[in-house]
Amino acid sequence: MIAAKERILRLLEGEISKLLHPYEQQINTLEKEKTQLADKIQSLEKENSNLRTLIAKAESSVQLQSNFNDLLPHFIERLSGGITYDAIDEWFLSSSSHDAILLLTVCEKLYRDKNFEMLNYILDLLCHNQHLIINQNGEIFKRLLALIKMIVLGEEEAATDEKYDNMIKSIYDILVGLRSSNLHDAIYNFLKENHEKMFDFVLLLNEPVIITKYLRLLFSYRLEDEVKSALNHILDVEWGFLDSSLTRDDFTFFLWYCFLFNLDGDLIDVGGDSLRWFDEQSKGISLYYYISDEGQDGQAGLQDEILQFTQAVTLLDFEKESIINKVKAIKNQPEPLKFLNDLYSVDSTLITYLTEKYKLKKRYCSLPLFKYRSDQMIERYVESDLYVSSNRRKAFIEKDKMKCKSYQEIVPGAVTSISTSSFVWPSTEVKDNKSTVVESDEKVLNEESDLKMMGYQISGLTRARRWEILDKAVPKLGLKKIAYTIAYNVKLRKGQKNGLNKFHHAITEWEHDLAKLKKLYYKKDFNWPTT
């Protein structure tokens, strides 16, 4: 009985398999057809997308042709009497985008025809009235950009034409005036992309007024890296070509721009003939003296100086605002914490570890300078960032932030207590008797020293480049002469009014070079100079 049932089930299973087989084949065939159709759909969609792109381009081309056809009768009507000054004045009274395009097209033609006089007339009007070109119309900006490129990227043969100089100045003024317009982003991108070419051409013209206008243009669009780079190059390479030709206004401009980018010490360091304008009686510069005069305080005095500055200086409002904000930040900065307890010199890589271990906080502190190595009388204070413990009994300073190497260096887990009585902060005293600055057989070397003639200077050179020069100078000039030359420069700057602040960068770099010279070359065969 059981065997019969099993036989019947096997027969049924075989019959079902025979019935299912064609259906399985049909399903497989349909799956393949589905895959092929999906591929076909994807291919058709791609082809459709390409066709849409081609149609859009064709429509755009037709639209441009249509726009030109629409403008052509207008151009013919407007130019029927020729390009005249009366016609130009009439166009400026218009608010038509057609007239704006026509005006810029005419400017391109005048430039190609070298009719700089009439072109200058138009550009001068645009400096004072830009309503025609402040428009969302893409064709207007396209024409404006073409005109800008023609002029500011320049041709060397045109650089000798005074009228060409005037065009450059006008274009820069126009672009500064557009900084708050809907064209801001497009102009920003253009300036950033073309800065190197434009700056090279500005230097070729070698006119202080054009250089200052170009720096203003960059600053107005917040291209601050480009401004600082340009200033560094001017101070390092170009200053000798500009120095004697600067007016008071030119020098005032450079001083305040260098102040904004912390290069004012470098400007004073390289300044020659132009330093005749560095006069405390100059109303445009008196605020600069006020900043560094520690005896001056109080908001009333500061406001009086700011008011005089805003009235006297021929800068634009956004430039004055930036300068005033920085002045206020300097004068209103909080009094630094005076720190007299245990101080440790550490490598900067250890700061994170120490901060976590001792719960340190970064604080801006005043540190004591002692008049003599043999006593504990504090002469004055210098400011620096320290990492201070919560009880303020110990602090850490990064080695590369120090101006000396006399602190005990520590490593994690091996911190030992060092009280301030166990060392004396080194003296940087500037003695009144200048005869003691150098030994009797050392001559005081001026800015035209042999070391200077070999190319050694602070502004414009990296530490690596300066060291290459010093490395060559040691066997040629002698270590002693080089050391006393640099030390004299440090003392000279420190001895000036507020010199430590005004020449902070230069002093830091000189002392860095002195320390490296002493470490690598000094054999105690003469008295090493103090600074």
Side-chain angles (χ1 to χ4, degrees):
M1 188 69 178
I2 293 172
K5 286 182 179 180
E6 289 178 353
R7 188 169 58 254
I8 291 169
L9 288 172
R10 283 198 298 272
L11 289 171
L12 287 173
E13 185 178 351
E15 290 299 321
I16 291 171
S17 295
K18 290 178 183 178
L19 290 172
L20 288 176
H21 183 67
Y23 288 108
E24 287 175 347
Q25 286 183 326
Q26 190 175 357
I27 289 170
N28 289 336
T29 301
L30 290 172
E31 287 288 345
K32 289 179 181 178
E33 290 178 356
K34 178 183 175 183
T35 302
Q36 290 172 351
L37 286 172
D39 292 341
K40 181 113 176 153
I41 290 170
Q42 187 175 359
S43 176
L44 289 170
E45 285 179 347
K46 185 175 181 180
E47 187 177 345
N48 185 40
S49 176
N50 291 336
L51 287 171
R52 287 179 182 275
T53 302
L54 290 173
I55 291 169
K57 289 181 179 179
E59 288 176 347
S60 176
S61 177
V62 170
Q63 183 62 42
L64 286 173
Q65 183 63 38
S66 174
N67 288 343
F68 179 76
N69 290 336
D70 291 342
L71 287 170
L72 191 57
H74 180 81
F75 284 7
I76 293 172
E77 179 185 352
R78 279 294 201 183
L79 295 172
S80 58
I83 304 174
T84 65
Y85 289 99
D86 288 340
I88 292 169
D89 290 340
E90 185 180 341
W91 296 338
F92 269 91
L93 296 175
S94 169
S95 58
S96 163
S97 61
H98 288 180
D99 279 337
I101 295 171
L102 173 60
L103 183 69
L104 293 170
T105 305
V106 165
C107 285
E108 291 180 40
K109 181 180 185 331
L110 292 173
Y111 181 85
R112 291 192 183 96
D113 293 344
K114 299 194 182 300
N115 187 346
F116 294 162
E117 184 172 344
M118 184 170 282
L119 178 54
N120 268 314
Y121 181 75
I122 296 175
L123 294 177
D124 188 54
L125 290 175
L126 281 173
C127 286
H128 300 92
N129 184 358
Q130 297 164 5
H131 79 278
L132 262 180
I133 55 177
I134 301 177
N135 194 299
Q136 296 289 348
N137 188 308
E139 183 66 19
I140 292 178
F141 182 69
K142 176 184 173 184
R143 294 288 181 182
L144 177 62
L145 193 60
L147 178 64
I148 292 169
K149 285 181 178 179
M150 291 172 73
I151 296 176
V152 302
L153 298 181
E155 303 170 1
E156 290 192 17
E157 60 268 22
T160 57
D161 193 322
E162 184 179 345
K163 294 173 184 175
Y164 190 89
D165 288 359
N166 291 333
M167 284 191 298
I168 290 282
K169 296 172 193 174
S170 295
I171 284 289
Y172 291 166
D173 288 343
I174 290 168
L175 292 176
V176 170
L178 292 171
R179 69 188 182 279
S180 300
S181 75
N182 58 294
L183 301 178
H184 174 278
D185 291 349
I187 295 172
Y188 170 90
N189 292 331
F190 171 78
L191 293 174
K192 193 165 186 67
E193 181 182 349
N194 293 283
H195 163 61
E196 289 187 11
K197 293 179 183 176
M198 292 174 68
F199 187 50
D200 285 346
F201 190 67
V202 165
L203 296 178
L204 174 68
L205 297 174
N206 197 39
E207 283 292 332
V209 174
I210 294 177
I211 293 173
T212 57
K213 282 183 178 291
Y214 181 66
L215 293 173
R216 170 176 291 149
L217 171 60
L218 294 176
F219 188 63
S220 70
Y221 285 86
R222 296 299 175 190
L223 290 164
E224 296 182 357
D225 288 342
E226 285 76 6
V227 177
K228 187 168 185 178
S229 173
L231 282 171
N232 269 314
H233 179 84
I234 289 167
L235 293 175
D236 183 34
V237 179
E238 306 293 335
W239 195 256
F241 302 105
L242 298 171
D243 187 36
S244 60
S245 60
L246 294 181
T247 65
R248 184 188 293 272
D249 285 344
D250 296 332
F251 180 76
T252 302
F253 178 97
F254 277 114
L255 177 65
W256 284 118
Y257 262 64
C258 286
F259 166 76
L260 284 173
F261 292 91
N262 301 318
L263 295 171
D264 44 315
D266 297 274
L267 171 63
I268 296 167
D269 196 30
V270 302
D273 291 345
S274 58
L275 289 181
R276 68 187 184 279
W277 303 121
F278 209 157
D279 179 2
E280 285 194 55
Q281 302 307 313
S282 170
K283 294 182 179 180
I285 297 178
S286 63
L287 179 62
Y288 183 78
Y289 285 92
Y290 184 90
I291 298 167
S292 57
D293 191 343
E294 296 177 358
Q296 298 280 0
D297 52 21
Q299 287 300 312
L302 178 59
Q303 290 304 319
D304 288 344
E305 287 290 340
I306 288 174
L307 178 62
Q308 181 174 274
F309 166 78
T310 55
Q311 294 173 344
V313 177
T314 55
L315 295 172
L316 299 185
D317 288 344
F318 71 88
E319 294 169 312
K320 293 177 182 177
E321 182 181 358
S322 297
I323 292 166
I324 290 169
N325 286 341
K326 182 167 183 179
V327 169
K328 287 181 177 178
I330 291 172
K331 296 303 287 186
N332 295 330
Q333 61 186 5
E335 185 72 18
L337 170 71
K338 285 185 170 61
F339 189 82
L340 301 172
N341 295 319
D342 298 347
L343 182 64
Y344 304 89
S345 158
V346 298
D347 190 277
S348 58
T349 58
L350 300 177
I351 288 298
T352 302
Y353 166 83
L354 293 169
T355 298
E356 293 176 357
K357 180 172 182 177
Y358 295 105
K359 310 299 181 189
L360 306 175
K361 289 187 177 180
K362 190 175 182 178
R363 295 289 302 271
Y364 188 63
C365 298
S366 282
L367 301 171
L369 282 173
F370 297 90
K371 187 169 185 178
Y372 302 109
R373 289 181 179 274
S374 58
D375 66 21
Q376 293 296 306
M377 188 192 325
I378 296 173
E379 169 95 3
R380 56 191 172 85
Y381 292 85
V382 293
E383 283 73 43
S384 182
D385 286 325
L386 301 184
Y387 294 84
V388 184
S389 63
S390 57
N391 60 11
R392 298 186 182 178
R393 291 183 179 176
K394 71 171 58 152
F396 302 86
I397 184 170
E398 296 174 81
K399 283 195 301 183
D400 57 0
K401 299 290 176 63
M402 291 170 38
K403 294 183 178 146
C404 64
K405 302 285 183 181
S406 63
Y407 299 112
Q408 177 176 334
E409 190 169 349
I410 61 170
V411 294
V415 179
T416 57
S417 177
I418 305 174
S419 67
T420 52
S421 61
S422 65
F423 67 89
V424 180
W425 196 285
S427 169
T428 57
E429 178 192 14
V430 179
K431 296 179 171 50
D432 293 333
N433 184 0
K434 292 188 178 180
S435 64
T436 63
V437 170
V438 294
E439 296 179 352
S440 59
D441 59 335
E442 267 76 51
K443 302 292 184 183
V444 174
L445 298 171
N446 61 22
E447 292 288 53
E448 297 304 319
S449 66
D450 292 338
L451 187 57
K452 174 78 172 177
M453 297 300 289
M454 290 188 69
Y456 178 83
Q457 61 185 42
I458 296 301
S459 59
L461 296 183
T462 63
R463 286 184 173 182
R465 177 61 188 134
R466 290 203 313 271
W467 184 251
E468 289 177 7
I469 295 170
L470 289 173
D471 207 24
K472 294 176 182 177
V474 169
K476 184 175 181 180
L477 303 178
L479 178 62
K480 185 175 182 181
K481 185 174 184 179
I482 292 171
Y484 275 93
T485 299
I486 297 175
Y488 173 74
N489 276 317
V490 173
K491 292 185 178 183
L492 185 66
R493 298 312 188 275
K494 286 183 176 180
Q496 295 184 30
K497 181 180 179 181
N498 202 38
L500 276 173
N501 288 329
K502 285 197 291 187
F503 305 111
H504 172 74
H505 170 70
I507 290 170
T508 301
E509 295 304 298
W510 276 322
E511 291 187 335
H512 169 271
D513 290 349
L514 270 177
K516 191 170 182 179
L517 285 168
K518 185 176 183 180
K519 180 179 180 181
L520 295 180
Y521 287 111
Y522 185 51
K523 297 179 180 178
K524 299 185 178 180
D525 49 346
F526 62 89
N527 291 329
W528 191 262
T530 60
T531 59

